[in-house]
Amino acid sequence: MVAADLEGPYQPGVRMFRWEPSLPLRGSAAALCNNLSVLQLPARNLTYFGVVHGPSAQLLSVAPEGVPLAQRQLHAKEGAGVSPPLITQVHWCVLPFRVLLVLTSHRGIQMYESNGYTMVYWHALDSGDASPVQAVFARGIAASGHFICVVLDTGTWSGRVLVFDIPAKGPNIVLSEELAGHQMPITDIATEPAQGQDCVADMVTADDSGLLCVWRSGPEFTLLTRIPGFGVPCPSVQLWQGIIAAGYGNGQVHLYEATTGNLHVQVNAHARAICALDLASELLSAGEDTFVHIWKLSRSPESGYIEVEHCHGECVSDTQLCGARFCDSSGSSFAVTGYDLAEIRRFSSV
């Protein structure tokens, strides 16, 4: 295991990015981790952005030159209750045959066609799973093959994952399985396409204790291993070529081998809690310390260990960041959101 510190995060790395015109929002982003979703549609020359704010999600469509073409609000389905439900996350799930927009709230799970206009499925949450003083809510969304997995928290001491089987078209979505592996509230979920027999671990979930559960997807999901936590929440996780990137509340990023749980690298990446991670060709991390960093990941051909190189850092002054995503698969641009920041800040490589 190798520990790495950032000495002088303000120094330029091997890649340079410049500010692009910001995208105005009708309201600021809620102070929720992973509060930004991005969907690139090259065939239509559009990029969609989704941000959560209270009982609504703000959806933006943007042209290649950065001009916002449309902005609309998507509201949570009311369900039972006297107060408006709060949305906890919005995320586009790219499946092999369709793209669905998934929205989670304290009342249920909503699935829409990618543009957000047509709802194809509604799953109400059962408050009977929790005591009267505990909140039931969904948070954490990921696609795996033809499944969509959504995290459900049923109170202070439990969490599970709902697995939905998605048909090639139409609304005949079925809740096929519920996964239990955590004794604490689950904070995030991540998947990657299976890379063959050598990479059977293709889903990871994290919780408030820092525990990671590693899964193999399929007709029946299988729990492969648990990576113990150390009492620090893990708000965001990602998977890259069989490697788990986990961002923690103490500002550290840990890189684990997914199949064995072995720790490769520990990076002291941020001065405060990490709120979002993303992966394209590189790793993107954002923290409550106002910084967003880009890291190059590579595997040493001699030892097989993961090597980390700091490539770039940006400061969004006086802003508690809460979301960060690459805007394209090459990692040449990224965007961030911040609490009480009524815009999406964007950056592109020089």
Side-chain angles (χ1 to χ4, degrees):
M1 185 268 287
V2 177
D5 288 273
L6 266 181
E7 296 183 358
Y10 307 97
Q11 298 175 0
V14 296
R15 293 187 65 179
M16 293 297 295
F17 287 78
R18 64 172 182 267
W19 289 59
E20 293 289 340
S22 298
L23 302 175
L25 298 170
R26 293 175 182 172
S28 62
L32 299 169
C33 291
N34 307 302
N35 190 4
L36 177 63
S37 184
V38 178
L39 173 67
Q40 188 183 34
L41 299 174
R44 299 176 57 189
N45 286 325
L46 287 177
T47 303
Y48 287 160
F49 294 86
V51 180
V52 170
H53 177 75
S56 66
Q58 301 176 70
L59 306 181
L60 294 82
S61 58
V62 181
E65 60 273 15
V67 178
L69 299 180
Q71 181 173 170
R72 60 186 296 261
Q73 290 185 316
L74 194 63
H75 294 275
K77 186 177 174 67
E78 291 291 335
V82 295
S83 60
L86 297 177
I87 298 178
T88 51
Q89 193 169 8
V90 61
H91 184 69
W92 278 278
C93 289
V94 180
L95 304 166
F97 34 74
R98 67 195 295 190
V99 178
L100 293 181
L101 175 66
V102 182
L103 182 151
T104 59
S105 73
H106 290 76
R107 301 281 166 76
I109 301 164
Q110 299 163 226
M111 298 187 187
Y112 294 81
E113 297 294 351
S114 60
N115 58 14
Y117 283 97
T118 305
M119 184 189 294
V120 296
Y121 184 74
W122 156 252
H123 178 84
L125 300 186
D126 182 8
S127 60
D129 289 333
S131 71
V133 297
Q134 294 173 331
V136 179
F137 60 93
R139 65 172 174 181
I141 309 163
S144 179
H146 60 88
F147 299 100
I148 289 179
C149 303
V150 181
V151 170
L152 175 65
D153 278 324
T154 56
T156 307
W157 301 108
S158 63
R160 60 181 187 264
V161 179
L162 307 183
V163 179
F164 297 92
D165 195 342
I166 311 297
K169 60 181 180 179
N172 296 324
I173 295 170
V174 177
L175 175 61
S176 63
E177 194 174 357
E178 296 189 15
L179 309 178
H182 293 269
Q183 300 302 314
M184 294 287 286
I186 303 175
T187 52
D188 197 22
I189 181 172
T191 60
E192 73 168 342
Q195 303 293 322
Q197 295 301 315
D198 294 334
C199 185
V200 295
D202 55 4
M203 188 173 83
V204 60
T205 51
D207 69 23
D208 272 342
S209 72
L211 173 73
L212 305 178
C213 286
V214 185
W215 309 82
R216 180 177 64 228
S217 66
E220 293 185 358
F221 283 65
T222 303
L223 177 61
L224 298 178
T225 187
R226 288 184 176 92
I227 301 174
F230 47 95
V232 177
C234 179
S236 192
V237 288
Q238 289 290 331
L239 270 169
W240 171 78
Q241 298 182 10
I243 294 296
I244 298 170
Y248 291 91
N250 60 1
Q252 292 181 346
V253 173
H254 292 190
L255 300 178
Y256 299 93
E257 192 77 41
T259 53
T260 63
N262 293 335
L263 176 63
H264 280 262
V265 181
Q266 173 184 303
V267 183
N268 295 321
H270 292 268
R272 296 185 64 184
I274 292 174
C275 61
L277 296 178
D278 195 22
L279 274 166
S281 58
E282 293 158 326
L283 176 67
L284 180 71
S285 68
E288 294 180 355
D289 60 357
T290 75
F291 274 91
V292 55
H293 293 294
I294 294 180
W295 313 84
K296 180 181 179 181
L297 306 183
S298 59
R299 192 184 290 270
S300 170
E302 292 82 14
S303 65
Y305 281 98
I306 299 301
E307 298 177 346
V308 181
E309 179 183 3
H310 181 242
C311 297
H312 187 75
E314 289 283 354
C315 175
V316 184
S317 301
D318 304 318
T319 302
Q320 177 184 319
L321 299 181
C322 53
R325 292 285 180 184
F326 284 112
C327 300
D328 56 79
S329 58
S330 66
S332 62
S333 61
F334 65 90
V336 299
T337 57
Y339 174 61
D340 209 25
L341 186 66
E343 61 185 12
I344 299 174
R345 295 281 180 90
R346 298 184 304 147
F347 304 84
S348 63
S349 59
V350 177

